[in-house]
Amino acid sequence: MARDPIPTWYYALVVVRSGDRFLLVHERKHGQPWYLPAGRVEPGESFADAARRETLEEAGIRIEPEGVLRVEHSPAANGTTRCRVIFLARPLDDAPPKSVADHESLGAAWVRLDEIGRYRLRGEEVREWFEYVAQGGPVHPLGLLACEGEPPPKR
């Protein structure tokens, strides 16, 4: 007998770094704190494409993912599960972050680590990821993520 599928939600989160600055998004929901560009992966979309789309929608910044910081899997007691991929990315140009609120966010800002205390963050993970990247924490290659059935990377 076949098992029932497990409802699973997939998310891309993005730590965007430009020199000594990191990108924060002023969220419209969750009590309007500041957070990383992040959102659900849509059907037919790769994790990296979701990272690009969410960062553009929420912050107005075009990015290129450079690597994977972590893949997280969180099974819940209610029979669902969540999977998050946290990317490191760089901006593609010097465009300023979004400053006009819309349905995606209230705006965005570039901040240095010494300025982050001025922002009400959604959680400490924002500061922790910024510090991790600033301190040179390992970044895994993008090839870590692949579509099922793709051949292994060539050596």
Side-chain angles (χ1 to χ4, degrees):
M1 172 182 272
R3 291 197 252 173
D4 289 335
I6 299 170
T8 305
W9 301 97
Y10 298 92
Y11 296 90
L13 289 78
V14 191
V15 176
V16 184
R17 183 181 189 181
S18 179
D20 66 346
R21 300 177 308 156
F22 293 90
L23 188 63
L24 282 177
V25 170
H26 194 183
E27 294 193 307
R28 178 170 284 291
K29 52 190 172 184
H30 306 292
Q32 301 179 344
W34 292 80
Y35 194 57
L36 303 171
R40 194 170 69 185
V41 178
E42 299 297 337
E45 187 176 48
S46 72
F47 278 103
D49 286 343
R52 289 180 189 97
R53 177 183 52 75
E54 289 290 347
T55 305
L56 183 60
E57 288 175 355
E58 294 181 356
I61 299 293
R62 294 181 330 113
I63 56 119
E64 186 56 39
E66 296 183 311
V68 174
L69 297 172
R70 182 158 56 183
V71 176
E72 298 176 338
H73 175 255
S74 302
N78 67 0
T80 66
T81 191
R82 181 171 79 166
C83 180
R84 302 187 329 167
V85 175
I86 304 168
F87 289 92
L88 176 64
R90 63 176 171 77
L92 287 177
D93 54 39
D94 293 329
K98 175 167 61 172
S99 60
V100 176
D102 62 18
H103 66 282
E104 295 291 339
S105 70
L106 299 175
W110 287 108
V111 298
R112 292 188 319 268
L113 276 175
D114 63 352
E115 299 170 327
I116 201 166
R118 299 178 193 164
Y119 296 84
R120 187 173 64 84
L121 302 176
R122 181 169 159 189
E124 277 304 301
E125 78 174 325
V126 175
R127 180 189 317 273
E128 291 166 353
W129 281 118
F130 289 178
E131 289 174 351
Y132 175 88
V133 169
Q135 294 167 3
V139 180
H140 306 284
L142 288 173
L144 180 72
L145 301 172
C147 290
E148 187 175 339
E150 284 184 18
K154 301 224 188 267
R155 293 184 58 101

